[in-house]
Amino acid sequence: MKNWRYIIYTFITAIAILFPFYTGTYLQHTASTILIYLSLALSWDMLLRAGQISFGIAGFFGIGGYAAALTHLRWGIDPFLSIILGGLAAFFIAFLLGLVVLHLRGLYFAIVTLAIAEIFRVIVRNLHSLTGGPEGSVLPSAIFNGDPSKVYWLVLTLAIITIIVSEVFQRTRIHFATTTIRNDELVAKSSGINIFKYLVFIFAITSALQGMIGASYTHQYAFVTPEETFHIHFTLLPIAMCLLGGMYTTIGPVVGALVLGTIADYLKLQLPYGHLLVYGIVIVVVILFVPKGIVGTIKEQLERRK
Amino acid sequence: MAILETKSLTKGFGGLIALKEVSFELFENEILGIIGPNGAGKTTLTNVISGIYLPSSGKIVFNGMDISELPTHTRSKLGIGRTFQIARPLQGLSVLQNVMLGSLFGRGNSLKVARKEAKEICDFLGLGQIERGITKLTVLEIKKMEIARALAIQPKILFLDEVMAGLNIDETKEMIESVQKIRAQGISICVIEHVMSVIRELTERVIVLDRGEKIAEGPYEKVSENPHVISAYLGEEE
Amino acid sequence: MDNQRCGSFEYSTPLVYLGLKLISKLFHKKYQIAVTLVIGGVLLALWKPFVLIEGLQVAGLYAAIALPMALILGIVGIINLAHGDFMMLGAYLAYRFTVYTGADPLVAIFPVSLGLFLIGMATYRGTIKYMHGAPELIQLLLTFGIAIILQQLANLLWTSHPVSIHVGYASASATIGSFTFGTYGFVYVAAAILVFIGLFLFLRRTRIGQAALATGQNPIGAKLVGINIDRIYLLIFSISIALVGAMSVLFLTRHSIFPHVGGIFTLKSFCLAAMAGLGNLTGILWASLILGLAESFVKSFMGYAGWADIIFFLLIIVVIMVGSYRRRVT
């Protein structure tokens, strides 16, 4: 019974890998962008499963981006290595911050993550000598010299890594821990779950993923600036996608990213100025009418039919 | 041998003193009853001992170790189990998965081992159809799941907070048997109850709380004749 | 701008520390903050008077905007992440009004307040109403979505190019001795005090206000005694947005506006509401004083101007952490 699922996944992965062979550069570029947001959306969901909303995706995205850019620029570190360094930088900073702020819950934690992301941006903007200040820094060249299919494969790899991490979280005891923590901390504690430890761990890992994604983005466009690299975009879109697709699953954010990403790309052409409006509307509409997201609602309907 | 001992345990919330210098002992393998009128502090006592609240003053000694400052999850791992008065079944997990929690995290077992142990506990308590979700359980089943969840951490002591509430006569009998079976496994039990027939049947010893203080202690027959206890339940005499 | 370079920074820190210790010894807890502020204010007036003036004025602005948010938080019980964006909307409406009618921008207070009252009503009826039972997560995300909608709507309608209005009286100034300072900013202080007194009287002295207070404290109890809590929520939410609208007009007279200008005010208002504690309107006044003065103070050190933004972010984090630490220890 389970086998047909794996066959489908393998099939889809194969299509995804072979994608650049039968599509043009524009589609590859679009797909790369969608994959970036897909990974961010998924990483956001992973923390959400433990009951915590983060408004700080852009913060760790930017940390990874800047870490990768600066190590590459100043110490000539290989782009791939710098991507990993970006992830590590985000990991450690998130870990240390997490130790401090993960006693908070709900609204307070969300606001603090937003504040943290903003603080990162301001710090980066002010450290002129290190980061290039408000004008940012430009990298000597884009990774792969901008070859869109190679960029696509890089981003696809990171997306697959994120999906794997998400599935690991779903199939191991971590799933039990997060579901319990999210639903009832008292029961979690009484069952022996060290809530703080799990939250810090998940926070650090998801931030590391966001850092790596930010690093790959930086190398793709070959520049960093405080405004662009820490843009609220990178927090907003993933959240909208995750809500649309369905929270608390791996496939939800993936579906949400694919759907919203495609629509958004189309809209960008139609409405150059306000296309982000759609994300806001999506969030509001989904919360009011389809709170379980596309995937969640489908699952619910299937349960009902049984 | 006292497996659990509290020494002058006090807990205040702002101006309200919920527990006042409560000292008692729980002996190994005994079933101790904790009774008292509503608001006496029985659940608070359970909460303080299990670590949900930290005591304002006083000590809690478990197996010779001072656990007064330890966090809840550590106390659970050490072997202090409890059920919740208002049952808290966990959404999103099946009955079996609910029970697995303690084994997974309290004992650090693998998923496979936890599943096996959880099944055994459910059998032990007569809890069936464990793959289903928690939304349509009967009162008895919810209570059994609560107990099963607590048993999964392999506790040395178990606090049962009003597990008999809402059960009919047959169900109560079944529950009493289960509690005795649990004790037979070597677990020391504190039974918090309002149903006196249960107390009479299950417990060897009883402590009585009223307004946060321990006002009596001893076998149920003696305690039930204690004038202080009677007036506590009936209210102050004019 | 005050060009004084403060070389005595290193010396002042231990002095400040000793001073604070002294105050904590001499005065009862309730008065410590007030006394610190007063003494700090006097010292500032002598050392960097500009900081004091500007700090006060900006504090007034923050307070006037934060008070309505506290109202929603305390009574309706919802965190409105779109708060500052309603202000942005009001400012744009005021701008269009002024450009269209050629009248003095302050006239716009009436139509904009009314307009925002209606918009608030529509928003509540359309969305927030359904959020009462929902988990906090969902409330946050919903108002976050509304905030985005407002921002992007503004972007769409009016582009991201900043606009502003110049009014002569906004540069009014006064001179004391050799010291010149802008006086228009005190409008914000006046507004804050007005809003505060208005809310205070409304909540304590009118029947509706008292009903609102009751609803905030105990919605079920309020319903039981016959208060139509749904109507109260609608009213309070709309009033709050209307107040924000009124403030937005004042804001327009002195600042340039752009679609994202509101976000920071949402954060700052929330910070102030968190500092003051739920339902504590007076606390917001004190908190905005602290925030305003701190920001102004940091800005006055030439090299550090860019860091002034961080002040309040750090303050948010500190406040929230301290608050949660206190809650954990009990």
Side-chain angles (χ1 to χ4, degrees):
Chain A
M1 250 326 281
K2 273 199 191 161
N3 289 323
W4 63 262
R5 274 228 187 118
Y6 288 124
I7 294 181
I8 292 193
Y9 291 151
T10 322
F11 187 63
I12 295 183
T13 316
I15 294 190
I17 295 180
L18 295 175
F19 189 77
F21 290 122
Y22 53 88
T23 52
T25 49
Y26 177 72
L27 274 182
Q28 288 164 20
H29 186 78
T30 309
S32 298
T33 311
I34 293 183
L35 283 173
I36 285 190
Y37 286 111
L38 184 154
S39 310
L40 289 177
L42 202 44
S43 72
W44 186 76
D45 189 69
M46 288 193 255
L47 187 61
L48 192 66
R49 293 172 204 165
Q52 298 284 63
I53 291 186
S54 162
F55 282 139
I57 304 179
F60 293 103
F61 181 88
I63 291 278
Y66 262 89
L70 294 177
T71 50
H72 179 65
L73 206 53
R74 277 158 203 270
W75 299 322
I77 302 234
D78 173 76
F80 293 108
L81 193 56
S82 75
I83 290 181
I84 298 193
L85 284 177
L88 282 175
F91 179 86
F92 281 117
I93 295 183
F95 180 77
L96 291 172
L97 283 176
L99 290 177
V100 176
V101 306
L102 271 165
H103 293 290
L104 302 172
R105 297 291 186 272
L107 167 69
Y108 296 105
F109 176 74
I111 297 275
V112 165
T113 55
L114 186 58
I116 288 178
E118 286 299 298
I119 290 182
F120 287 161
R121 187 168 58 82
V122 172
I123 291 181
V124 160
R125 196 177 66 207
N126 281 308
L127 291 177
H128 291 255
S129 50
L130 180 63
T131 64
E135 292 88 36
S137 300
V138 175
L139 299 182
S141 65
I143 197 173
F144 306 126
N145 279 317
D147 182 347
S149 45
K150 298 223 177 77
V151 166
Y152 169 84
W153 278 317
L154 170 65
V155 172
L156 179 66
T157 311
L158 287 177
I160 292 180
I161 292 178
T162 310
I163 291 179
I164 292 179
V165 174
S166 171
E167 277 297 286
V168 165
F169 278 18
Q170 286 289 76
R171 288 162 198 262
T172 61
R173 63 182 49 223
I174 297 182
H175 172 65
F176 284 84
T178 54
T179 309
T180 313
I181 293 174
R182 181 176 86 235
N183 280 310
D184 196 330
E185 288 201 7
L186 242 59
V187 169
K189 286 198 269 197
S190 303
S191 304
I193 298 178
N194 186 339
I195 298 179
F196 186 64
K197 199 177 75 176
Y198 272 98
L199 287 180
V200 171
F201 172 69
I202 296 175
F203 185 57
I205 296 264
T206 56
S207 303
L209 287 168
Q210 289 157 10
M212 282 204 294
I213 299 164
S216 74
Y217 182 87
T218 293
H219 277 296
Q220 194 181 344
Y221 290 97
F223 76 94
V224 283
T225 72
E227 306 309 314
E228 288 301 311
T229 317
F230 288 97
H231 203 287
I232 192 88
H233 227 97
F234 298 114
T235 299
L236 164 63
L237 262 71
I239 294 181
M241 290 171 173
C242 184
L243 282 175
L244 178 64
M247 307 181 276
Y248 309 140
T249 59
T250 300
I251 196 155
V254 170
V255 166
L258 291 173
V259 170
L260 203 52
T262 326
I263 296 181
D265 197 68
Y266 176 70
L267 278 175
K268 216 194 289 187
L269 299 171
Q270 306 291 332
L271 300 170
Y273 269 115
H275 63 278
L276 294 179
L277 179 62
V278 177
Y279 303 124
I281 298 182
V282 165
I283 292 181
V284 173
V285 165
V286 165
I287 288 185
L288 287 178
F289 300 111
V290 200
K292 294 212 161 84
I294 296 177
V295 171
T297 314
I298 293 181
K299 265 199 199 157
E300 211 181 25
Q301 294 302 321
L302 289 178
E303 292 283 310
R304 287 235 186 104
R305 305 291 164 84
K306 274 202 191 150
Chain B
M1 250 310 321
I3 191 170
L4 175 75
E5 190 185 341
T6 69
K7 301 187 177 170
S8 289
L9 202 55
T10 307
K11 177 62 188 169
F13 296 100
L16 174 68
I17 308 218
L19 292 176
K20 203 162 157 207
E21 314 249 331
V22 174
S23 305
F24 78 97
E25 291 173 307
L26 175 67
F27 294 104
E28 244 185 283
N29 225 250
E30 81 164 322
I31 301 184
L32 175 72
I34 302 181
I35 64 176
N38 272 322
K42 309 189 290 291
T43 303
T44 310
L45 183 62
T46 310
N47 282 334
V48 174
I49 292 177
S50 67
I52 309 278
Y53 301 136
L54 290 176
S56 307
S57 72
K59 283 214 295 188
I60 308 168
V61 180
F62 175 63
N63 257 335
M65 187 168 55
D66 184 352
I67 62 164
S68 321
E69 302 284 309
L70 293 181
T72 312
H73 60 85
T74 312
R75 297 192 204 191
S76 301
K77 289 197 197 154
L78 285 174
I80 300 181
R82 52 89 54 92
T83 64
F84 289 93
Q85 186 179 3
I86 303 177
R88 305 170 86 111
L90 214 60
Q91 311 274 357
L93 296 178
S94 68
V95 171
L96 177 64
Q97 288 174 326
N98 261 275
V99 178
M100 280 167 70
L101 289 176
S103 177
L104 273 178
F105 300 107
R107 309 251 24 108
N109 290 319
S110 69
L111 281 174
K112 216 158 127 199
V113 172
R115 185 164 284 132
K116 186 162 111 8
E117 286 191 0
K119 280 206 183 118
E120 285 169 7
I121 295 176
C122 291
D123 283 336
F124 178 75
L125 288 176
L127 187 56
Q129 283 185 289
I130 48 185
E131 297 290 347
R132 64 195 153 135
I134 50 97
T135 38
K136 298 213 180 113
L137 299 175
T138 67
V139 176
L140 181 62
E141 286 171 326
I142 292 185
K143 302 265 170 173
K144 283 189 182 174
M145 193 182 76
E146 280 278 317
I147 299 180
R149 220 165 40 184
L151 287 179
I153 63 174
Q154 283 180 19
K156 306 210 175 56
I157 67 179
L158 181 61
F159 281 79
L160 297 175
D161 201 341
E162 303 202 26
V163 287
M164 307 292 173
L167 301 179
N168 63 36
I169 300 190
D170 290 321
E171 294 170 336
T172 308
K173 238 172 107 191
E174 189 183 340
M175 195 61 91
I176 291 181
E177 278 168 21
S178 298
V179 174
Q180 284 163 339
K181 275 205 293 188
I182 296 174
R183 189 257 289 268
Q185 302 271 322
I187 301 176
S188 322
I189 307 180
C190 276
V191 178
I192 299 170
E193 266 312 324
H194 274 300
V195 185
M196 291 309 155
S197 57
V198 169
I199 296 283
R200 200 185 305 128
E201 201 176 325
L202 264 181
T203 65
E204 295 102 42
R205 224 172 34 106
V206 157
I207 65 173
V208 187
L209 292 181
D210 180 34
R211 278 178 276 197
E213 291 181 85
K214 186 178 83 171
I215 59 173
E217 183 176 351
Y220 177 72
E221 292 72 29
K222 282 261 172 56
V223 156
S224 58
E225 287 164 13
N226 185 319
H228 290 300
V229 174
I230 298 179
S231 76
Y233 269 96
L234 295 181
E236 293 293 345
E237 303 210 0
E238 292 300 306
Chain C
M1 259 307 243
D2 190 0
N3 276 316
Q4 240 179 338
R5 255 210 45 187
C6 194
S8 57
F9 204 37
E10 299 78 38
Y11 300 110
S12 55
T13 317
L15 273 177
V16 168
Y17 179 69
L18 285 171
L20 285 175
K21 272 258 143 120
L22 197 62
I23 293 181
S24 64
K25 290 259 160 67
L26 290 176
F27 293 96
H28 183 64
K29 239 194 185 169
K30 263 206 303 187
Y31 302 115
Q32 276 171 13
I33 297 186
V35 168
T36 318
L37 277 178
V38 167
I39 295 187
V42 167
L43 285 175
L44 257 184
L46 300 173
W47 175 30
K48 281 176 176 272
F50 197 83
V51 167
L52 181 64
I53 302 285
E54 200 184 88
L56 262 175
Q57 297 176 350
V58 107
L61 177 64
Y62 290 154
I65 298 181
L67 283 167
M69 180 192 236
L71 196 64
I72 294 186
L73 203 54
I75 296 186
V76 185
I78 291 206
I79 308 118
N80 184 10
L81 286 183
H83 190 75
D85 300 289
F86 281 111
M87 186 197 80
M88 175 269 299
L89 186 65
Y92 267 105
L93 290 178
Y95 176 77
R96 299 259 60 148
F97 177 85
T98 309
V99 161
Y100 189 68
T101 63
D104 182 280
L106 288 182
V107 170
I109 290 192
F110 301 104
V112 169
S113 303
L114 182 60
L116 252 64
F117 184 86
L118 296 171
I119 293 179
M121 264 179 62
T123 310
Y124 180 80
R125 275 266 184 78
T127 62
I128 312 242
K129 191 159 95 146
Y130 306 100
M131 290 295 113
H132 279 296
E136 204 179 58
L137 252 65
I138 303 293
Q139 286 180 14
L140 283 186
L141 291 170
L142 177 72
T143 52
F144 180 65
I146 296 178
I148 299 296
I149 291 182
L150 289 175
Q151 285 173 18
Q152 292 308 315
L153 216 55
N155 212 346
L156 200 58
L157 291 173
W158 301 303
T159 80
S160 56
H161 198 76
V163 293
S164 59
I165 289 191
H166 288 288
V167 272
Y169 49 78
S171 4
S173 62
T175 316
I176 297 185
S178 60
F179 175 61
T180 312
F181 56 91
T183 44
Y184 182 70
F186 286 108
V187 153
Y188 296 125
V189 181
I193 297 182
L194 256 172
V195 170
F196 176 75
I197 295 183
L199 282 179
F200 191 83
L201 291 176
F202 171 69
L203 290 174
R204 302 291 161 95
R205 300 289 158 87
T206 67
R207 284 194 65 204
I208 299 187
Q210 288 169 340
L213 270 181
T215 312
Q217 280 171 4
N218 190 342
I220 302 184
K223 227 204 279 191
L224 286 177
V225 297
I227 298 179
N228 186 340
I229 57 175
D230 203 52
R231 205 99 58 83
I232 296 275
Y233 288 147
L234 180 63
L235 184 68
I236 296 291
F237 189 83
S238 312
I239 289 182
S240 165
I241 304 294
L243 282 173
V244 163
M247 276 314 301
S248 73
V249 176
L250 289 177
F251 181 77
L252 175 66
T253 55
R254 224 179 163 215
H255 303 250
S256 58
I257 59 176
F258 49 94
H260 294 284
V261 75
I264 204 121
F265 284 95
T266 308
L267 275 180
K268 292 190 181 180
S269 300
F270 178 75
C271 176
L272 292 173
M275 268 169 92
L278 207 61
N280 186 355
L281 291 183
T282 349
I284 292 198
L285 292 181
W286 291 121
S288 21
L289 251 180
I290 297 179
L291 178 60
L293 288 173
E295 260 189 25
S296 204
F297 187 72
V298 171
K299 270 210 204 130
S300 71
F301 294 99
M302 283 306 284
Y304 297 96
W307 299 91
D309 288 335
I310 292 205
I311 276 289
F312 114 85
F313 288 118
L314 285 173
L315 207 61
I316 271 197
I317 295 183
V318 167
V319 162
I320 290 180
M321 298 295 307
V322 168
S324 94
Y325 179 74
R326 264 205 227 128
R327 261 178 275 131
R328 262 205 307 151
V329 171
T330 45

